[in-house]
Amino acid sequence: MRNKKFSFYIFIFVIGLLTILNLSTAYDFKSNVLKIQRANTFKSPLASAGKELVSVTSPNILKESTGVIPAFKSLIGKILGSENKASIRPLRAEVFGFLPFWTLDKRIHFRYELLSTIAYFGVDINSQGEFIKERDNGKTDGGWAGWVSDDFTDVINQAKKYKTKILLTIKGFDNETIEKLLNCAKCSRNLVNNALKEIKNRKADGVNLDFEYVGTPDDDIIFRFTQLVKDFVDVFHDEIPGSHVSVSTYAKSAADKKLHDIKGLSSITDSFFIMGYDFFRAVSSYAGPVAPLGGADKYGYDLKTTIDDYLKLTPANKIILGLPYYGYDWPVEKNEPNAKTLKGSDETGYANMSSYANSQYDILNDDQARSWDRDAQVPFYSWFDKDHKVWRQDYYEDVRSLGLKYDFIKEKNLRGVGIWALGYDGSYPELWDLLEEKFTK
């Protein structure tokens, strides 16, 4: 019986090997990638990774190849019993991943043993402290539908096997809604109670408060937000022992006056998730790095300066540095680093958000097109768009740039690393492998 089983595995291995050989014209063995063709763009509104709605375009930020090479690796992993290794070494830092409802279908590729925390993203609120479950058009809200879905139930069940915490991200992205909520004590209490009910119903572990107030709020609003966080912490820690309350903050929240009083919140919240991305965005006037590690003199601010500013106000063990699994590509005036972007139009094309899988495995991202930004410590590449007759430029993250940031996180003894967003690496394994290399004992 064992011989028959072994022969079957050998047969599968040989078939897989022949498949790879037949695909040799498409597979770049030097770069160890299966290249994909960049799709034509079309105009579409899309939520940015900073999670503020901006008008950009995208063919599909998660479009990737059919994944023959990754699928074959997965098959061999199953044969050898190595997929999602339960015997993985313990994590020595927190790995906190945001899971948007639109990437739930990528969950089959997650390595839960490498995730300390999954924050479902997310559920919107109104000024009364109620979760928005239905939109004005009568359709179920996508964030709410994902939260109560069977797909997310599967995520919860898998997470429990690996003792991965599950958080619900509570989203407040509108200034007026935030102000009305905070100025109403009853509404704030209502939000805390509604959140507690949902977390208990889902047998989850806590919440992430993602309140993205734009501009400079009044001191009273800042104080009331800090009080809201305290209410969450007090209630959740009392009702659900071991629960976790995290607060998402801007990169410059420690340097500029924002909704988030970092010093005041430091003794209250369990952790800060610094949104260390969107330094350059789809609407930027110049192409540039989404998350520059260095280069403050050139770009005005960077992640090293961000952490230095935070460490003046809060201890390192409170800080999770969130990093992007995405980039942007822009139509630009000429083929040069940090080229001036063109205003998006049907004639020139539009700016796109591009997932790691799209950028890294773009057939146009070859050795000739790709460069390295020595200041920001990130890759970028340029190509000529024959359809629109303009140059385009894409700044993104790869194994090298993320590895440098992970080393920086360890050097600063931060609480851990954050990911926006789970699923943006598609079915490719290398970013999981990098987390294992950098953050396991």
Side-chain angles (χ1 to χ4, degrees), residues 136-434:
D136 293 339
N137 59 9
K139 294 184 178 180
T140 302
D141 177 73
W144 178 258
W147 171 249
V148 299
S149 68
D150 291 340
D151 287 349
F152 192 62
T153 298
D154 180 55
V155 171
I156 294 173
N157 292 338
Q158 290 298 319
K160 288 185 181 300
K161 295 178 183 178
Y162 296 93
K163 299 182 179 180
T164 301
K165 288 184 179 296
I166 294 290
L167 308 185
L168 169 63
T169 302
I170 299 173
K171 300 162 55 184
F173 287 178
D174 174 71
N175 283 16
E176 183 179 359
T177 299
I178 292 172
E179 289 176 353
K180 286 183 176 180
L181 173 76
L182 296 178
N183 282 318
C184 170
K186 180 181 178 181
C187 305
S188 295
R189 288 195 301 271
N190 193 37
L191 177 60
V192 174
N193 292 332
N194 284 332
L196 181 66
K197 178 182 177 182
E198 283 305 319
I199 296 307
K200 285 185 174 181
N201 285 345
R202 277 311 226 161
K203 295 181 173 57
D205 302 287
V207 294
N208 168 263
L209 301 177
D210 188 4
F211 281 47
E212 299 189 23
Y213 190 99
V214 178
T216 305
D218 294 337
D219 289 342
D220 185 57
I221 293 297
I222 296 173
F223 171 80
R224 289 176 184 273
F225 178 72
T226 301
Q227 184 60 48
L228 176 65
V229 176
K230 185 177 186 304
D231 291 343
F232 265 98
V233 170
D234 289 346
V235 170
F236 271 69
H237 286 187
D238 181 58
E239 292 282 340
I240 309 175
S243 60
H244 190 92
V245 177
S246 174
V247 177
S248 291
T249 60
Y250 295 118
K252 297 198 75 174
S253 288
D256 298 339
K257 185 178 180 181
K258 302 288 186 183
L259 179 67
H260 318 107
D261 174 11
I262 303 304
K263 187 175 182 179
L265 289 167
S266 179
S267 61
I268 300 172
T269 186
D270 293 313
S271 66
F272 294 105
F273 183 103
I274 301 175
M275 296 180 288
Y277 33 76
D278 268 12
F279 284 70
F280 282 76
R281 302 170 57 208
V283 295
S284 296
S285 300
Y286 292 86
V290 176
L293 180 59
D297 291 340
K298 180 178 180 180
Y299 294 119
Y301 209 59
D302 59 24
L303 290 176
K304 289 183 177 180
T305 309
T306 295
I307 297 304
D308 286 343
D309 288 339
Y310 268 81
L311 288 174
K312 296 172 185 175
L313 303 174
T314 189
N317 64 7
K318 291 276 187 174
I319 299 173
I320 298 168
L321 180 55
L323 300 174
Y325 275 18
Y326 73 96
Y328 289 111
D329 77 74
W330 298 264
V332 294
E333 288 187 350
K334 60 180 70 173
N335 181 20
E336 63 180 14
N338 305 121
K340 184 173 177 57
T341 59
L342 297 170
K343 184 177 180 180
S345 69
D346 292 339
E347 182 180 356
T348 63
Y350 297 86
N352 295 317
M353 181 191 293
S354 183
S355 68
Y356 167 82
N358 269 10
S359 293
Q360 180 66 23
Y361 292 96
D362 183 357
I363 195 171
L364 301 173
N365 184 7
D366 57 23
D367 291 340
Q368 184 176 355
R370 187 169 53 253
S371 301
W372 181 258
D373 185 320
R374 294 183 179 180
D375 297 294
Q377 298 287 285
V378 298
F380 66 97
Y381 66 104
S382 305
W383 73 97
F384 190 74
D385 180 352
K386 295 180 181 179
D387 293 335
H388 296 95
K389 296 180 173 55
V390 298
W391 282 93
R392 297 188 68 91
Q393 195 164 86
D394 184 328
Y395 278 77
Y396 67 107
E397 298 286 336
D398 65 3
V399 168
R400 179 183 176 187
S401 65
L402 288 171
L404 292 169
K405 292 177 174 71
Y406 294 169
D407 289 339
F408 172 69
I409 288 169
K410 294 194 294 182
E411 175 190 332
K412 292 294 185 178
N413 294 313
L414 303 185
R415 182 185 185 95
V417 61
I419 300 166
W420 180 267
L422 296 175
Y424 279 11
D425 53 347
S427 60
Y428 299 101
E430 62 268 21
L431 298 189
W432 293 109
D433 294 342
L434 182 64

Side-chain angles (χ1 to χ4, degrees), residues 123-139:
V123 178
D124 290 293
I125 58 172
N126 62 25
S127 60
Q128 302 302 308
E130 302 286 346
F131 291 127
I132 296 176
K133 303 178 182 180
E134 187 177 281
R135 290 298 172 178
D136 293 339
N137 59 9
K139 294 184 178 180

Side-chain angles (χ1 to χ4, degrees), residues 71-88:
F72 179 70
K73 287 182 178 179
S74 178
L75 174 62
I76 296 302
K78 289 178 180 178
I79 292 174
L80 298 178
S82 63
E83 183 182 357
N84 284 344
K85 312 177 190 69
S87 60
I88 194 74

